[in-house]
Amino acid sequence: MDQFRVEVIAKTPNPQQVIYAAMHQDYSENLVYDEREKWPNESKAGELIVKHLLSGGRGHYGPIEHPQIILNCGYFPHSVMQQVRTHRVGISFDVQCLAANTEVTFVNCKGESSKKLKKTIGELYDLWHNGEKAIRSRKIRGRNGEPPGEYRRNCQQRLRNMRLRVLNEDTGLFEVGHIKQVICQGMQPVYRIILENGKTLDCTVNHRLFTSEGWQPMGEALGLVTGADGHVINMTKDAAVMCNGMPVARHGLYPEKATIEEKVTAGFSTNYQLDSSGNTAQSAVMKYSVQSSKPYTTTLFPIPYSLFPSTFDVHDSGKGYKLKAHPVKIVKVEYLGEQMTYDLEVSGNWHNFVANGLVVHNSNRYTGARIIQAAEGLKPIEEVFYLRPVGEYSNRQGKHYTYTEEQRQSDLEWCLQGAKRYQQMVESGISEEHARGIIPFDVRQHFVVSLNGRSLMHLLDLRYKLDAQLECQKLCKHIFPHFQSWMPKIAEWYEKNRLKKAKLSP
């Protein structure tokens, strides 16, 4: 347990003043912003919050939700992350999330996409967890006791069967995968990246993008520098992210269904002859309009390879037409504030998907390098896996037992054998995501957790009480000093009135 760590990544400055302003606005006719010079200082604001908001159990605790703190938790067993994840907090391994308006690309059996086959990730989350709205309402009570009226039917299997566009990272060509899970990652700071071609993506700084240099968190790829309030100060690096490709065909021929936009975007010369009738790209655009999606009527267009930009490599697949990813430079990043965020978990050989035309990584990214290092003796086994110390233990049901040194050594050997088996599976070609199923559950985990003031107290209420899982209590013990330094007056009230008293948070 001595390896456990909790560090602050970011936090709202002057949180007690922020809460005071929100609380004061409820009872003021004036705009409290205009009275900033008259606000009490941070300490006095905390005293007023305790007096008027927390003491007496008035029940109006909404203002406490405005300030947010983001914590990096390290070396905790996987079970702790799972326990924390069940509470009213925004959490992920590394805050790898997308905004609700992100458009996810699905394809038909020919690998073609259309507007009808695209859904936002927010829509997918609603459908996955709540079902789709039935065409007809229920007139009588359902077989499982459902009351009459409007209802939503489960559609998870239908969503699993939909073809998700994914990228084969070896060939650079797009293939098909499937959704395994749709996850809500809670409220997170969201940024909009803007590409050279006008495409945008709203995501968190640590969402992994497939760049021309491989997988990188957005913030790391751009060397993003942000202020305490999240606003963008500077981008210190250039980065290009891989995007949807263009149809590439055998022998350099474009398919009959290719649109004017695709042909012009792919780099056709405005004076190059496109078909046997002598039509040029310029005359074709005048005839059909670039804004139109009306396809050419000509069957095939022989095009010299030299007219393709280097990013659109022609692929001789032998099976027709493919899409090949190409890099597009990120030119700007904007801070959008905190938003509800989501992510997908993807099954199949490739754990990525296309979001707003960009290739992004699915959730819960997993790397097993440290497990292999443990198998090879390059890392201590206890730096990778967690086992409780030798000692006397009991559970909530009053069961008492002794965990002996002999038992612990046997368990350490079990962890080592699991790491070695994992290494064998990966070296045989099995994916990391598949191989991890055989390792012990409590592999040490690093994760990022975002909490507002209210949900922070909620977490402490449930996981710092004396009958909570021991490791969760240790997590809370590491969090509490950060709470005290961030909101001293509120933390002082909490310690006196709620700490370890098993009360439900306000």
Side-chain angles (χ1 to χ4, degrees):
M1 294 186 191
D2 55 352
Q3 294 186 48
F4 294 169
R5 288 180 62 189
V6 174
E7 307 292 346
V8 176
I9 291 178
K11 57 186 177 182
T12 303
N14 303 319
Q16 294 174 149
Q17 281 190 324
V18 171
I19 297 170
Y20 167 82
M23 176 183 74
H24 186 51
Q25 186 64 78
D26 288 342
Y27 303 100
S28 175
E29 291 291 334
N30 302 317
L31 191 69
V32 295
Y33 179 87
D34 296 334
E35 303 172 359
R36 293 183 70 182
E37 298 302 322
K38 299 179 182 179
W39 288 1
N41 62 31
E42 181 70 4
S43 179
K44 184 62 177 179
E47 292 175 6
L48 292 172
I49 292 165
V50 171
K51 179 179 179 180
H52 297 293
L53 201 63
L54 297 174
S55 297
R58 290 177 173 81
H60 180 50
Y61 300 111
I64 306 175
E65 295 185 3
H66 292 291
Q68 185 181 57
I69 188 168
I70 302 174
L71 303 172
N72 196 180
C73 307
Y75 300 97
F76 286 90
H78 182 74
S79 57
V80 168
M81 189 279 299
Q82 293 290 72
Q83 289 284 344
V84 175
R85 196 183 184 97
T86 64
H87 301 307
R88 191 175 56 202
V89 290
I91 183 171
S92 74
F93 286 75
D94 51 11
V95 201
Q96 179 175 305
C97 326
L98 300 168
N101 62 357
T102 303
E103 208 170 54
V104 178
T105 300
F106 295 89
V107 298
N108 61 21
C109 59
K110 297 180 180 179
E112 305 163 348
S113 184
S114 67
K115 192 67 179 177
K116 292 181 179 179
L117 288 174
K118 293 180 179 179
K119 293 187 180 297
T120 68
I121 200 165
E123 291 173 332
L124 286 172
Y125 180 80
D126 182 48
L127 289 169
W128 186 271
H129 292 277
N130 300 317
E132 60 186 345
K133 294 181 180 178
I135 299 174
R136 294 176 295 179
S137 62
R138 183 183 288 109
K139 301 298 183 183
I140 60 175
R141 185 170 293 277
R143 67 177 65 182
N144 296 318
E146 302 91 343
E150 297 293 330
Y151 69 99
R152 302 182 70 167
R153 56 193 173 198
N154 187 293
C155 61
Q156 283 191 10
Q157 191 55 50
R158 183 172 67 82
L159 293 175
R160 286 192 185 96
N161 291 337
M162 290 177 66
R163 301 173 182 87
L164 186 69
R165 178 171 284 169
V166 302
L167 180 67
N168 183 320
E169 297 166 23
D170 291 339
T171 65
L173 298 173
F174 287 98
E175 299 180 355
V176 170
H178 297 278
I179 293 176
K180 183 177 181 181
Q181 181 66 262
V182 187
I183 304 161
C184 177
Q185 302 284 35
M187 296 292 291
Q188 305 287 358
V190 171
Y191 293 79
R192 173 167 292 167
I193 62 172
I194 302 171
L195 274 58
E196 202 168 36
N197 62 3
K199 290 183 182 294
T200 65
L201 179 71
D202 299 347
C203 64
T204 53
V205 290
N206 279 343
H207 200 97
R208 284 175 170 79
L209 309 175
F210 194 41
T211 72
S212 54
E213 303 298 322
W215 287 110
Q216 291 182 296
M218 182 270 282
E220 181 181 312
L222 294 169
L224 197 66
V225 180
T226 61
D229 60 353
H231 74 280
V232 176
I233 296 175
N234 194 17
M235 293 187 339
T236 61
K237 298 179 184 177
D238 289 332
V241 63
M242 304 304 288
C243 295
N244 261 343
M246 296 291 295
V248 291
R250 298 176 63 198
H251 313 302
L253 299 181
Y254 264 76
E256 179 179 9
K257 59 182 172 49
T259 63
I260 297 295
E261 297 98 314
E262 292 172 334
K263 294 179 174 60
V264 174
T265 304
F268 287 106
S269 168
T270 56
N271 60 5
Y272 188 79
Q273 183 171 323
L274 294 180
D275 59 25
S276 58
S277 65
N279 289 331
T280 63
Q282 186 176 11
S283 62
V285 169
M286 291 174 63
K287 180 176 179 181
Y288 292 106
S289 169
V290 171
Q291 282 71 43
S292 169
S293 293
K294 184 174 181 179
Y296 256 156
T297 55
T298 313
T299 303
L300 290 173
F301 306 92
I303 304 299
Y305 287 175
S306 61
L307 290 183
F308 287 87
S310 60
T311 53
F312 296 103
D313 297 333
V314 175
H315 174 69
D316 188 356
S317 67
K319 295 183 180 179
Y321 307 101
K322 296 280 189 179
L323 281 179
K324 189 173 182 70
H326 67 286
V328 180
K329 185 179 178 181
I330 299 173
V331 295
K332 188 177 181 181
V333 181
E334 299 174 347
Y335 179 54
L336 302 182
E338 292 186 10
Q339 297 182 17
M340 190 62 70
T341 56
Y342 305 86
D343 210 341
L344 300 182
E345 188 172 356
V346 179
S347 61
N349 294 326
W350 303 105
H351 297 272
N352 62 64
F353 60 100
V354 176
N356 284 11
L358 288 67
V359 180
V360 302
H361 208 286
N362 76 173
S363 69
N364 299 350
R365 183 179 184 272
Y366 180 79
T367 174
R370 58 201 174 103
I371 297 174
I372 292 176
Q373 290 172 338
E376 295 176 341
L378 301 177
K379 273 187 182 293
I381 194 70
E382 290 203 61
E383 189 175 320
V384 178
F385 297 99
Y386 170 79
L387 293 174
R388 282 185 172 178
V390 171
E392 301 290 329
Y393 294 96
S394 63
N395 62 12
R396 291 183 180 181
Q397 288 71 43
K399 178 182 178 182
H400 294 272
Y401 62 94
T402 301
Y403 187 45
T404 67
E405 182 62 38
E406 183 181 6
Q407 289 172 318
R408 197 171 190 278
Q409 288 302 316
S410 176
D411 291 341
L412 282 173
E413 180 60 28
W414 181 269
C415 291
L416 179 60
Q417 293 306 315
K420 290 181 177 180
R421 177 57 183 152
Y422 172 90
Q423 181 184 25
Q424 292 170 358
M425 293 176 72
V426 170
E427 290 177 349
S428 72
I430 294 174
S431 69
E432 292 176 329
E433 290 83 357
H434 183 170
R436 68 180 175 186
I438 58 92
I439 63 174
F441 182 74
D442 266 344
V443 62
R444 289 186 185 268
Q445 200 81 60
H446 307 324
F447 58 93
V448 172
V449 56
S450 303
L451 309 108
N452 62 52
R454 187 174 181 177
S455 61
L456 173 54
M457 289 192 289
H458 178 72
L459 175 63
L460 294 173
D461 283 341
L462 294 180
R463 297 300 167 194
Y464 208 1
K465 57 185 182 179
L466 297 177
D467 65 345
Q469 179 182 332
L470 176 62
E471 292 75 18
C472 289
Q473 292 184 55
K474 296 296 184 182
L475 170 67
C476 293
K477 183 177 180 179
H478 281 75
I479 289 175
F480 194 71
H482 296 302
F483 182 28
Q484 289 175 304
S485 63
W486 184 45
M487 294 184 176
K489 292 297 181 181
I490 295 176
E492 182 183 352
W493 171 87
Y494 180 87
E495 185 174 20
K496 185 183 300 183
N497 293 276
R498 302 188 67 87
L499 184 65
K500 299 187 178 182
K501 295 184 179 180
K503 295 182 178 181
L504 289 179
S505 80

